Amino acid sequence: MILIQSSNEDIATSAVIDWLNYYGCKYFRINENSLLYEINCVKNNISFCFTDVLGNKQKIDLSQVSAYWYRRGYSNIETPKHTQGNNVFLDAINEHFSHESATLENLTYYLFNHIHGQKIGHIRFNHINKIVVLSMARKAGLDVPDTAIISSKNALTAFYNQHSPSGIITKSLNQSFGLQDDVNSIYIAGYTSLFGNAEIDQCPETFFPTLFQEAIPKKFELRIFYLNGKFFSSAIFSQNDEKTKVDFRNYNFEKPNRTPPFKLPESIEKKITDLMQKMELNSGSIDMIYSETGKYIFLEVNPVGQFWQVSYPCNYYLEREIAKTLCG
């Protein structure tokens, strides 16, 4: 049995499951709407009862699980909600059960990660700190952009002047965000953006701490999928299109960027491998750029990032690679 933990609408998980079906490998998929309604941990006998994606109840005996893939999502544990009794105690009791549920959730992640067999990913890497990763990448010998977290206009002006004339960019400290209004057909996304004098002039004297980096002139971008020491890389010729020049995720669907397969230098692969091992990551989507000066610049790694942008255009069949890894 292969245990898969994912989110409700993740199409990458479904594509991997298509290959699991092809290979005849049994699996159980836990989504965010899959309810964990029973846990039995008696010495080495550990079992869980989940509802599956169709709402059917199924028991999972961890001793029968041969592989675990943490793709995305979390364990959904129903927390008792007490509504009757002394109001003074109700809040305290409900808070107590909330903490109990959180402890059980953490326990499931611990037990899943100690399954004997192949494991890909882990819940603790669902959200990683970009700044910490950049520091670790630099220690691994990779080139990284000059980066600053700034909350004052004076410091921002100084940082901008330091990197003139190429300029600076800003992006989120955490993951990018997206806002969608289906009624009015509006979609707003938090892409990487250039930040110049006009934007600085509009800033107050102090503001919320914000991530800024030097804007490195690039020949092309790189998206790399890493799986157990293997590299599947794609070049992204985003510089030929004004729409995708700053951030290739601002896709031009009418005229997509050319994204051929790419072979990283062995020295860069070794440094990335060193970084991934120090982070205890065996999979992830990595963003880099190849600069106009011929340098490979590391930007970030997303342990739960999408990989279809590499898989389909380059015919890597990454969904098959993941399925084969899980099936052993």
Side-chain angles (χ1 to χ4, degrees), residues 8-72:
N8 301 337
E9 305 299 331
D10 186 62
I11 58 175
T13 304
S14 300
V16 170
I17 285 175
D18 286 341
W19 282 103
L20 295 179
N21 288 327
Y22 173 79
Y23 288 125
C25 298
K26 294 182 179 180
Y27 62 88
F28 184 79
R29 175 175 178 171
I30 303 169
N31 281 341
E32 291 166 346
N33 61 352
S34 302
L35 181 64
L36 172 59
Y37 63 91
E38 186 177 322
I39 304 176
N40 290 299
C41 299
V42 183
K43 295 185 178 179
N44 294 326
N45 298 318
I46 303 170
S47 65
F48 299 86
C49 292
F50 280 96
T51 55
D52 63 17
V53 293
L54 299 176
N56 301 315
K57 295 181 178 181
Q58 181 168 336
K59 182 177 180 180
I60 302 172
D61 185 344
L62 280 196
S63 66
Q64 303 301 313
V65 176
S66 59
Y68 171 59
W69 179 28
Y70 176 79
R71 169 64 186 142
R72 287 182 172 184

Side-chain angles (χ1 to χ4, degrees), residues 5-190:
Q5 190 160 10
S6 186
S7 56
N8 301 337
E9 305 299 331
D10 186 62
I11 58 175
T13 304
S14 300
V16 170
I17 285 175
D18 286 341
W19 282 103
L20 295 179
N21 288 327
Y22 173 79
Y23 288 125
C25 298
K26 294 182 179 180
Y27 62 88
F28 184 79
R29 175 175 178 171
I30 303 169
N31 281 341
E32 291 166 346
N33 61 352
S34 302
L35 181 64
L36 172 59
Y37 63 91
E38 186 177 322
I39 304 176
N40 290 299
C41 299
V42 183
K43 295 185 178 179
N44 294 326
N45 298 318
I46 303 170
S47 65
F48 299 86
C49 292
F50 280 96
T51 55
D52 63 17
V53 293
L54 299 176
N56 301 315
K57 295 181 178 181
Q58 181 168 336
K59 182 177 180 180
I60 302 172
D61 185 344
L62 280 196
S63 66
Q64 303 301 313
V65 176
S66 59
Y68 171 59
W69 179 28
Y70 176 79
R71 169 64 186 142
R72 287 182 172 184
Y74 54 88
S75 294
N76 182 10
I77 300 175
E78 187 173 16
T79 304
K81 187 73 173 178
H82 294 270
T83 58
Q84 295 182 353
N86 190 318
N87 291 334
V88 176
F89 299 115
L90 277 180
D91 289 344
I93 293 171
N94 287 327
E95 184 179 1
H96 169 72
F97 274 104
S98 177
H99 291 315
E100 292 286 281
S101 295
T103 301
L104 283 174
E105 184 178 352
N106 289 333
L107 176 62
T108 64
Y109 301 141
Y110 174 84
L111 294 172
F112 291 168
N113 196 51
H114 284 76
I115 289 169
H116 296 292
Q118 179 63 55
K119 291 179 284 292
I120 302 176
H122 193 287
I123 179 64
R124 73 176 185 272
F125 300 121
N126 196 343
H127 301 291
I128 57 176
N129 192 297
K130 292 181 182 179
I131 310 304
V132 173
V133 173
L134 285 173
S135 176
M136 295 179 70
R138 188 183 292 110
K139 291 179 181 178
L142 291 162
D143 289 314
V144 301
D146 188 13
T147 303
I149 300 174
I150 296 174
S151 60
S152 74
K153 191 172 185 176
N154 288 338
L156 178 57
T157 301
F159 188 72
Y160 175 78
N161 292 335
Q162 179 184 349
H163 294 289
S164 181
S166 58
I168 61 175
I169 59 96
T170 185
K171 58 184 180 181
S172 62
L173 279 163
N174 194 16
Q175 296 179 341
S176 297
F177 72 95
L179 302 173
Q180 186 162 341
D181 182 353
D182 293 328
V183 176
N184 298 302
S185 299
I186 297 174
Y187 179 73
I188 300 173

Side-chain angles (χ1 to χ4, degrees), residues 294-321:
K295 289 185 177 182
Y296 290 88
I297 312 293
F298 175 89
L299 299 180
E300 59 184 81
V301 56
N302 186 349
V304 296
Q306 292 292 358
F307 45 83
W308 61 266
Q309 307 101 316
V310 178
S311 182
Y312 294 113
C314 300
N315 291 318
Y316 283 139
Y317 291 93
L318 293 178
E319 298 79 13
R320 179 178 63 187
E321 290 291 328

